[in-house]
Amino acid sequence: MKNKDTITVVDNRNNNKFEFKIKKGSFGPDVADLTAFYSKTGMFVYDPGFTSTASCSSEITFIDGEKGILLHRGYKIEDLAEKSDYPEVCYLLLNGELPDVENKKKFIKILTNHTMLHEQLLRFYSGFRRDSHPMAVMVGIVGALSSFYSEKNYDFSSTEGMWVAVSRLLAKLPTMAAMAYKYSLGQPFIYPKNNLSYSENFLHMLFSTPCGEYHPSKASIEALDKLLILHADHEQNASTSTVKMAGSSGANPFACVAAGVASLWGPAHGGANESVIRMLNEIGSVNNIQKFIEKAKDKTDSFRLMGFGHRVYKNYDPRANVLRKYCHNLLKEIDSFNVPLFKLATKLEEIALNDSYFIKKKLYPNVDFYSGIILKALGMPESMFTVIFAVARTVGWISQWKEMTELTNNKISRPRQLYTGKNKREFIEIEERRNIKKMYPGEIK
Ligand code: SDX
């Protein structure tokens, strides 16, 4: 009797049949194990954008896009956002369990003791133009950490080496991010203070100056902590996959995280929160909403409703739900100035979600739709929104990198392709070359 946990592929050109095992996870979609697909069939599996591809198995995060469910090590994101704090969620993502009192204290102590940067690293900032996008600075500075934590002194495949990478990245990202912001302002760097919590310390480094300490309100500290939790990890998204692709070659983990920062920067990914605020400001008033909805539906127009749609969620992004609720409460408490923007966002959401195009394509608000409004309410400039996302997502990147590095059968990621280029042809001497297509439509200056 055939083993039922298999899938059979039939090549109708010659009626050859190929059988592949079906692997089951704890729950969620099963996978067809196609690792031997090429060796068995001589064909590659074609899936640009990886819409139907599971790149790995993982125990860290589970997303059910149809039901709008997000779990971290089995805990619902709604519960973690409401009842936990960011250091605890970091511990959970890294270790698989929420910490007890003792372990939480130890973990926070480790993070607290590594928040400062090597003084030489500070010199890297002055190499950037003052008007650089802070994400350009972050790609450079995070990458530079790999020269301060190099293979000469650490074996990052060992438990000790791994924890050095984990603890230094988690501890230093807020310091580096705050310094990128200060550098853009022309203000002096503010050093971390060990007596402050993770989120409070980050706000202190962002907004204190030598002339005066910034004492964030409890509501602001809590809002930032929730934002960090809600952006901490999200399965095999583009930036996490970038970190793991780089890490699969055994590259330095600090350099791998720098690659993740670069990938997150894109407007289709972590750069969307910045684009949402620009879009809301461009819409300006409720009367203009329909015009922009029509633009988003117009295939000839490249405009997309930023903060809407998701590769996985075909229902509400549960993080957007938490953020909307939280945004509403926060603005009442700390910043009525942004209430009109929030009102415009909720109206835009209401109209879009009742539009047949958005309903048919299952486009809902994602994590980026409301996060920008909270960040504005906290006093962050739009250019820093994705930097905050990068600070939050560092734990996701490094947890997923750690899980991959701990695998004994870890292979380098090396996809193949469908070749559609020229057939083999003889070399042509330059005198014989005719009608060569110009490289650029215009003239190269
Ligand atoms: C994040 O992967 C993650 O988990 C990411 C993230 C994380 O935590 O790591 O959740 C964080 O990146 C959230 C997404 C932030 N990006 C945006 O808000 C940018 C706007 N959204 C889109 O660009 C888009 O929805 C994506 C990139 C998010 C998802 O794109 P997909 O899955 O590749 O889907 P698609 O582009 O093929 O869109 C499917 C259809 C298309 O129409 P058709 O070609 O089928 O006719 O839906 C349309 C798209 O044109 N569409 C939109 C739209 N998003 C998709 N139309 C208008 N406005 C939009 N926002």
Side-chain angles (χ1 to χ4, degrees):
M1 212 273 255
K2 265 197 193 307
N3 168 354
K4 64 181 186 325
D5 278 345
T6 62
I7 186 170
T8 305
V9 173
V10 180
D11 183 343
N12 293 317
R13 296 169 297 185
N14 48 32
N15 220 19
N16 287 347
K17 290 193 171 88
F18 307 96
E19 200 167 75
F20 302 95
K21 277 200 175 54
I22 292 172
K23 295 176 90 153
K24 293 179 171 306
S26 315
F27 40 78
D30 296 339
V31 297
D33 183 347
L34 300 184
T35 37
F37 192 84
Y38 176 57
S39 56
K40 279 188 177 177
T41 68
M43 289 189 282
F44 297 137
V45 176
Y46 186 67
D47 183 15
F50 309 121
T51 48
S52 305
T53 294
S55 60
C56 65
S57 60
S58 175
E59 299 175 355
I60 298 175
T61 289
F62 173 75
I63 305 171
D64 181 325
E66 297 306 324
K67 298 191 188 109
I69 292 170
L70 170 56
L71 306 177
H72 288 319
R73 301 284 190 178
Y75 293 97
K76 285 193 320 190
I77 189 65
E78 294 88 343
D79 290 346
L80 293 172
E82 193 189 321
K83 300 169 183 163
S84 188
D85 60 35
Y86 184 65
E88 269 197 1
V89 172
C90 288
Y91 190 97
L92 172 69
L93 290 170
L94 284 159
N95 293 309
E97 297 299 338
L98 286 164
D100 57 22
V101 174
E102 199 44 44
N103 281 308
K104 181 170 180 177
K105 265 197 207 126
K106 267 194 222 155
F107 184 64
I108 287 178
K109 190 162 181 290
I110 293 172
L111 297 190
T112 305
N113 289 344
H114 292 289
T115 49
M116 279 179 67
L117 303 185
H118 191 296
E119 275 300 303
Q120 272 183 266
L121 194 68
L122 306 192
R123 292 189 205 144
F124 281 74
Y125 285 89
S126 55
F128 292 94
R129 288 170 51 116
R130 285 274 182 196
D131 61 354
S132 308
H133 192 294
M135 284 298 274
V137 177
M138 290 303 286
V139 172
I141 297 291
V142 174
L145 272 180
S146 58
S147 73
F148 290 80
Y149 297 96
S150 75
E151 285 66 14
K152 268 193 316 223
N153 311 317
Y154 302 96
D155 168 10
F156 293 115
S157 61
S158 71
T159 308
E160 298 69 28
M162 235 179 262
W163 278 103
V164 166
V166 165
S167 55
R168 290 352 182 239
L169 280 160
L170 287 186
K172 297 179 192 302
L173 254 289
T175 311
M176 292 193 278
M179 288 184 172
Y181 177 50
K182 288 301 195 188
Y183 183 72
S184 71
L185 297 176
Q187 285 185 7
F189 295 145
I190 297 297
Y191 283 66
K193 291 177 111 175
N194 289 355
N195 62 323
L196 301 179
S197 72
Y198 196 90
S199 296
E200 189 175 0
N201 206 3
F202 190 15
L203 289 167
H204 154 66
M205 293 187 281
L206 283 163
F207 299 120
S208 287
T209 68
C211 320
E213 289 276 308
Y214 174 69
H215 298 291
S217 67
K218 189 170 169 301
S220 301
I221 298 166
E222 211 177 84
L224 179 59
D225 202 66
K226 280 191 193 320
L227 265 175
L228 296 176
I229 291 173
L230 291 163
H231 287 78
D233 186 52
H234 212 237
E235 198 213 66
Q236 307 308 319
N237 59 84
S239 53
T240 299
S241 299
T242 302
V243 171
K244 291 175 75 173
M245 175 74 91
S248 72
S249 70
N252 178 297
F254 296 87
C256 295
V257 168
V261 174
S263 171
L264 185 75
W265 191 2
H269 189 14
N273 49 22
E274 193 179 334
S275 314
V276 166
I277 296 296
R278 272 207 298 274
M279 174 186 75
L280 291 173
N281 288 328
E282 198 185 345
I283 294 173
S285 88
V286 173
N287 308 334
N288 294 334
I289 288 178
Q290 197 53 46
K291 184 176 81 177
F292 281 83
I293 296 269
E294 294 314 315
K295 266 172 72 71
K297 292 156 58 174
D298 177 357
K299 285 294 155 222
T300 61
D301 190 327
S302 62
F303 173 80
R304 285 198 163 183
L305 214 54
M306 299 315 278
F308 260 77
H310 198 280
R311 169 62 60 77
V312 178
Y313 290 119
K314 302 308 171 194
N315 195 323
Y316 257 100
D317 179 337
R319 301 168 297 176
N321 274 335
V322 175
L323 283 169
R324 181 199 314 100
K325 205 165 52 197
Y326 205 67
C327 201
H328 183 62
N329 302 336
L330 181 73
L331 293 182
K332 274 192 296 191
E333 277 200 47
I334 61 165
D335 172 356
S336 55
F337 174 70
N338 278 294
V339 170
L341 205 60
F342 177 66
K343 284 196 171 135
L344 181 61
T346 46
K347 193 68 186 155
L348 170 60
E349 176 188 355
E350 182 197 315
I351 295 173
L353 292 184
N354 286 294
D355 182 287
S356 56
Y357 173 89
F358 288 83
I359 294 168
K360 183 166 158 281
K361 291 194 185 291
K362 297 184 177 179
L363 302 173
Y364 288 85
N366 58 49
V367 68
D368 290 300
F369 190 63
Y370 286 103
S371 56
I373 300 172
I374 294 181
L375 287 165
K376 264 182 87 63
L378 292 174
M380 313 270 184
E382 286 147 40
S383 61
M384 282 294 288
F385 287 7
T386 311
V387 173
I388 309 299
F389 195 154
V391 169
R393 185 53 57 89
T394 295
V395 67
W397 291 332
I398 201 72
S399 301
Q400 301 267 358
W401 168 84
K402 177 173 169 290
E403 184 181 57
M404 174 187 73
T405 310
E406 285 167 342
L407 287 177
T408 46
N409 61 346
N410 190 24
K411 294 170 83 70
I412 190 166
S413 298
R414 204 280 186 214
R416 301 302 302 273
Q417 63 176 15
L418 173 69
Y419 177 68
T420 54
K422 294 277 188 206
N423 217 325
K424 197 160 60 173
R425 52 182 172 162
E426 293 307 314
F427 184 79
I428 307 171
E429 294 303 334
I430 190 160
E431 299 75 18
E432 310 299 314
R433 294 170 204 161
R434 300 282 175 274
N435 311 324
I436 301 299
K437 205 163 48 121
K438 272 207 276 183
M439 280 174 76
Y440 300 99
E443 280 312 305
I444 313 171
K445 295 277 180 292

